[in-house]
Amino acid sequence: MQLQQSTWQEVEAYLAGSSGIIVPIGSTEQHGPNGLIGTDAICPETVARGVGEETATLVAPTLSIGMSQHHMAFPGSMTLKPSTLLLVIVEVVESLARHGFDRIYFLNGHGGNIATLGAAINEVYASGLEAADRPLRLRQRNWWSGEKVRKLQQKLYGRADGAHATASEVALSWFAHPDSVKDVEMSPKIAPMGPIRDAEDFRRSFPDGRMGSDPSLASVEAGSDLYDAAVGDVRRDFEAFVG
């Protein structure tokens, strides 16, 4: 069930029986030679919709621009300042809470969002905001954090999965958009690792955008398996949260 494809009457009827909603959040940033710029938004959106279908839960529109300052030396990347992203998240929560959503589950697809998302949740709790006179509960979860996904990542790619433009996230985004598969040779096969500083330093250190990864190993078939694993992991976590 997708919020943007529902009428207000349908949302009102939904709220009569459920107060949970999933909010995918990601980013718009480079993902190496064969990864889509929208990867970090596509992945949580795809998994969220799968969980929503299985649990009859509303899924909000994806917050698709995140905190990606360190990728801004690569064309196409977009970013919000942490302070801006924090305000966006808080005001999304305020909007949903006004209508009676009191279990708001943020499914994240970008590591650079984690600190700001956590700060925004604490900001909401500090404000004492309630949803229709009921305690408000928020949760953040990365789509890749569950046990099934982590085991599958290790089995499929081992250390070649890397830290950015990973084989697993590229595979999942290709599963969602198989017409966007790109066959690109990687050199070196596994990209280097190292610290992240500002955007220009990132591009100097990681000229093709990868960190520690070999996303040429990605495939639609692996993406399908990762999707199933992620939906299973997230569904269990979400049901425990709303239950």
Side-chain angles (χ1 to χ4, degrees):
M1 302 172 64
Q2 296 178 51
L3 184 66
Q4 66 264 45
Q5 294 181 12
S6 304
T7 66
W8 70 262
Q9 294 95 335
E10 289 170 331
V11 176
E12 189 168 72
Y14 173 88
L15 282 164
S18 177
S19 59
I21 189 167
I22 303 172
V23 183
I25 180 170
S27 64
T28 300
E29 64 185 45
Q30 67 84 17
H31 271 78
N34 66 349
L36 308 178
I37 286 176
T39 293
D40 281 354
I42 292 167
C43 289
E45 178 176 273
T46 301
V47 174
R49 289 182 178 182
V51 175
E53 289 170 3
E54 290 191 3
T55 61
T57 299
L58 271 177
V59 177
T62 302
L63 303 180
S64 60
I65 301 177
M67 205 301 289
S68 302
Q69 183 279 330
H70 47 291
H71 294 290
M72 289 302 293
F74 294 87
S77 299
M78 302 172 68
T79 191
L80 298 176
K81 295 176 182 177
S83 56
T84 304
L85 181 59
L86 185 148
L87 288 174
V88 169
I89 294 166
V90 168
E91 292 184 14
V92 165
V93 170
E94 290 173 346
S95 298
L96 292 170
R98 175 170 178 165
H99 303 306
F101 291 100
D102 60 23
R103 296 293 182 271
I104 302 174
Y105 187 96
F106 286 92
L107 186 62
N108 179 49
H110 173 50
N113 289 342
I114 294 172
T116 302
L117 183 52
I121 288 173
N122 286 327
E123 188 79 14
V124 171
Y125 285 153
S127 74
L129 180 69
E130 292 189 341
D133 300 322
R134 295 180 59 186
L136 182 65
R137 295 292 178 264
L138 311 176
R139 177 155 171 75
Q140 67 178 106
R141 171 83 172 195
N142 303 320
W143 72 262
W144 64 83
S145 294
E147 182 179 4
K148 285 187 174 181
V149 170
R150 287 187 281 107
K151 286 183 176 179
L152 185 55
Q153 287 172 322
Q154 183 61 34
K155 177 183 176 181
L156 289 170
Y157 308 121
R159 73 180 187 91
D161 201 35
H164 179 68
T166 67
S168 55
E169 64 184 343
V170 170
L172 180 54
S173 70
W174 285 359
F175 165 73
H177 297 282
D179 56 336
S180 297
V181 172
K182 305 178 192 304
D183 184 13
V184 180
E185 185 174 347
M186 304 291 160
S187 181
K189 285 291 288 180
I190 297 179
M193 288 287 289
I196 298 174
R197 290 182 283 273
D198 61 22
E200 286 68 29
D201 178 74
F202 188 109
R203 182 154 182 175
R204 284 192 299 270
S205 300
F206 311 105
D208 70 359
R210 298 177 294 144
M211 291 184 68
S213 66
D214 178 10
S216 68
L217 299 173
S219 68
V220 172
E221 293 74 22
S224 176
D225 292 340
L226 286 159
Y227 168 80
D228 290 339
V231 169
D233 284 338
V234 173
R235 177 177 178 170
R236 282 190 297 277
D237 188 67
F238 175 75
E239 288 180 330
F241 169 68
V242 296

